[in-house]
Amino acid sequence: MSPTRTVELEGHIIDSGTMGRCFGVVMDMGGSFEVEEFEIGRHKNAETYCRMKVSADSEPTLQEIVHELHQNGATLSDPADATLEAAPDDAVVPVDFYSTTNHPTYVRYEGEWVDVENVEMDCAIVVETEGSEAPRAHTKVLNAIDEGDLVVTGDTGIRVEPPERPRDGDSAFGFMQGGVSSERPSESLIGEIADAVAETKEEGGNVLAVCGPAVVHSGGADHLAELVREGYVDAISAGNGFAVHDIERDLYGTSLGMDVETMEHPRKGHKHHIYTISEISRQGGIEQAVENGAIQSGVMYECVANNVPYVLAGSIRDDGPLPDTITDSIEAQNAIREQARDADLVIMLATLLHSVAVGNCLPSTTKLVCVDINPSTVTQLMDRGSAQAIGMVSDIGTFLPMLADQLVDEK
C-alpha cells in the first residue's frame, strides 16, 4: 500500500493560485492526490478550504512532496509538535534542520502554535523555552547558531502562510501584484508608487531606499536627497561606491570623473573619486565632514543633517573604502538585516547586488518595489524568493524626479 499523508489548504487559495500550485507540485514530483473535502468561498472575503490525501510510491518521495506542499502553505491535517534538536556546536546545525522561507511561519510547541519572529529566507528556527513564561521561536542565520540551541528539524509542526493577492482594490498597495514589465505606463505606475510611499508614511511606517551608484550617475541624486530631506525616506542601504560618488559630486561636481550636467570629463576627473575618499578619511568620516562643512549637499549630507541612518556595505572591488563602509561581510549582513526588519516599504534603485542582499533579509510581507533599466534585475530578485517584488523598467534618472514631484509637490 502506498504511503499517504492528508494535508489541508485554507484561505484565498483559488484566486491566489495556491491550490493550483499545490496540485502541480504533487503531480510534478511523481505523486497523486485525492480531494476529500472542498468548500469554496463564494464572495470576496470568504475563504476556501481544501483537504486532500497525498500518496507516493515511497516514503522518501512522499516526504519530499509534503515538504514542497508545506512551502506553499499546506499543513498536515493532524499536526504534531515540531521536532527540536540541540545544535552540536557553534555555527553548526543538526542534520535535516528546517530551512525557512521568507513567509510568516509558525511552529507547534506543546500543542500551541508559536509565531516565528524575524522571518527571513534560508535560516534555521531556534526555540527558546527558558527565561520567559511563553516559548519563543525566532530565526537565526547559520553562522549565529550557538552550541545547544534548540533547532527545528524536519517539517513536522511547522505552518507557513504565503501572502495572498491584495483584496482591497482601494489600497495604494493594490497595484503590487508582483512581476515585471517594460510595457506598463510609467507615469501612472510612478503615481501608484508615490501613493504607496505616502500611505506608508501616513500610517507611521518606515521607507527604506536601496541605492546603486547609477542614482548619482543618472542625475537622480538631488531628487533622492530631496525625498530624504522631506521625510519620505527613513533609511538608506547602499555600497561604498554610491556614497563616494554622491560626495564626489558635492566636492567636484562630477560622478566617477564625469560632470553629471554636461557629460564632460574634466582634466584629472578620473582621480576625483579617490580624492574624495582621501578627503573624507582626513575628516574622520561622513558625519564629521558634514559637521565641519566639507560636505554641503547630496544624499549623504541630507542623511546626516536629518538623522536618517544609513548602512554602507563594502565589496571586494571597493576603492579606499570610506571610513563609514562596513568591510566585514558578516557585520554588513547583520546591519542590513536590522534595517530590513524596520522597513515597511522598500524601494530598490538601480542596484542588483544590494537589491538581492536586502531582498534576502526581507519577509514576504514587506512591500517591495524594484526600479532598474534592466528587467533581469527584478527577475533575479524574484527568482531568489522575493516574489512580492513589483518591478518597473525605467531609467532611474527619469524615475526619481517624477517620484519626487508626485510626493513633494503634492505635500
Side-chain angles (χ1 to χ4, degrees):
M1 183 176 179
S2 299
T4 63
R5 295 286 190 283
T6 301
V7 300
E8 297 175 321
L9 294 163
E10 191 168 7
H12 301 291
I13 60 175
I14 298 177
D15 53 356
S16 67
T18 299
M19 189 171 70
R21 285 195 302 272
C22 288
F23 289 171
V25 162
V26 176
M27 293 184 290
D28 291 345
M29 298 183 70
S32 60
F33 66 88
E34 177 185 349
V35 176
E36 297 183 323
E37 184 176 349
F38 183 56
E39 299 176 3
I40 188 170
R42 299 187 181 278
H43 56 82
K44 178 179 178 180
N45 295 315
E47 296 186 343
T48 296
Y49 171 81
C50 175
R51 186 177 72 242
M52 64 180 180
K53 184 165 63 176
V54 181
S55 305
D57 291 336
S58 66
E59 185 64 33
T61 300
L62 180 61
Q63 289 180 1
E64 291 178 0
I65 292 173
V66 170
H67 173 78
E68 290 302 318
L69 290 174
H70 192 271
Q71 304 290 80
N72 283 279
T75 58
L76 292 172
S77 60
D78 54 345
D81 283 353
T83 303
L84 306 180
E85 186 175 338
D89 203 348
D90 291 348
V92 179
V93 292
V95 175
D96 196 32
F97 79 99
Y98 177 79
S99 178
T100 57
T101 69
N102 59 350
H103 303 315
T105 304
Y106 304 82
V107 296
R108 192 175 177 88
Y109 179 78
E110 294 186 345
E112 300 291 336
W113 289 105
V114 180
D115 185 10
V116 177
E117 303 170 17
N118 300 326
V119 168
E120 62 177 278
M121 67 180 73
D122 302 331
C123 291
I125 298 175
V126 172
V127 177
E128 297 180 4
T129 60
E130 299 178 0
S132 61
E133 295 181 0
R136 174 176 177 249
H138 58 96
T139 59
K140 269 193 174 185
V141 291
L142 301 195
N143 60 55
I145 292 291
D146 296 317
E147 181 181 357
D149 278 347
L150 293 178
V151 179
V152 175
T153 59
D155 294 308
T156 302
I158 303 168
R159 190 173 80 226
V160 176
E161 295 183 354
E164 297 175 339
R165 181 174 63 86
R167 309 188 67 74
D168 184 0
D170 296 329
S171 169
F173 296 109
F175 75 98
M176 290 188 176
Q177 305 292 326
V180 54
S181 171
S182 59
E183 298 179 355
R184 301 182 69 176
S186 295
E187 188 171 355
S188 61
L189 184 54
I190 291 172
E192 291 173 327
I193 295 171
D195 289 342
V197 172
E199 183 176 308
T200 300
K201 296 305 301 174
E202 288 170 2
E203 295 176 352
N206 289 324
V207 177
L208 169 63
V210 182
C211 313
V215 169
V216 185
H217 300 331
S218 66
D222 286 346
H223 304 283
L224 180 58
E226 183 180 22
L227 293 174
V228 173
R229 183 170 59 251
E230 296 295 329
Y232 288 106
V233 172
D234 300 285
I236 294 284
S237 182
N240 184 73
F242 169 81
V244 172
H245 301 150
D246 176 66
I247 298 170
E248 175 192 340
R249 185 164 180 267
D250 175 66
L251 297 180
Y252 299 100
T254 59
S255 173
L256 203 59
M258 181 190 73
D259 188 307
V260 176
E261 304 298 332
T262 66
M263 305 299 174
E264 296 178 352
H265 290 78
R267 186 172 177 271
K268 292 187 177 182
H270 63 288
K271 296 184 178 183
H272 287 173
H273 77 287
I274 204 70
Y275 289 166
T276 297
I277 295 168
S278 174
E279 180 58 28
I280 300 306
S281 297
R282 186 178 298 110
Q283 294 286 333
I286 296 173
E287 184 174 350
Q288 291 87 340
V290 172
E291 292 174 352
N292 296 338
I295 304 175
Q296 298 184 357
S297 67
V299 178
M300 302 313 299
Y301 170 85
E302 295 296 345
C303 284
V304 174
N306 294 280
N307 296 313
V308 172
Y310 53 86
V311 170
L312 304 179
S315 70
I316 194 68
R317 67 177 184 266
D318 286 338
D319 292 320
L322 291 167
D324 304 78
T325 300
I326 303 173
T327 56
D328 183 296
S329 61
I330 301 301
E331 183 183 349
Q333 286 178 5
N334 289 335
I336 290 172
R337 188 167 286 113
E338 291 300 315
Q339 274 194 324
R341 288 172 181 169
D342 289 337
D344 298 289
L345 171 62
V346 179
I347 303 180
M348 298 174 169
L349 304 170
T351 170
L352 174 59
L353 178 66
H354 288 276
S355 293
V356 170
V358 174
N360 286 350
C361 298
L362 293 172
S364 61
T365 51
T366 300
K367 300 170 181 69
L368 174 57
V369 178
C370 184
V371 184
D372 203 291
I373 196 65
N374 187 351
S376 68
T377 296
V378 185
T379 301
Q380 290 186 52
L381 186 68
M382 296 177 67
D383 286 347
R384 289 190 57 84
S386 299
Q388 78 274 29
I390 179 173
M392 179 174 180
V393 180
S394 174
D395 172 51
I396 205 67
T398 300
F399 173 81
L400 280 170
M402 294 178 69
L403 181 65
D405 286 345
Q406 290 270 0
L407 286 168
V408 179
D409 290 352
E410 297 178 5
K411 187 175 181 179

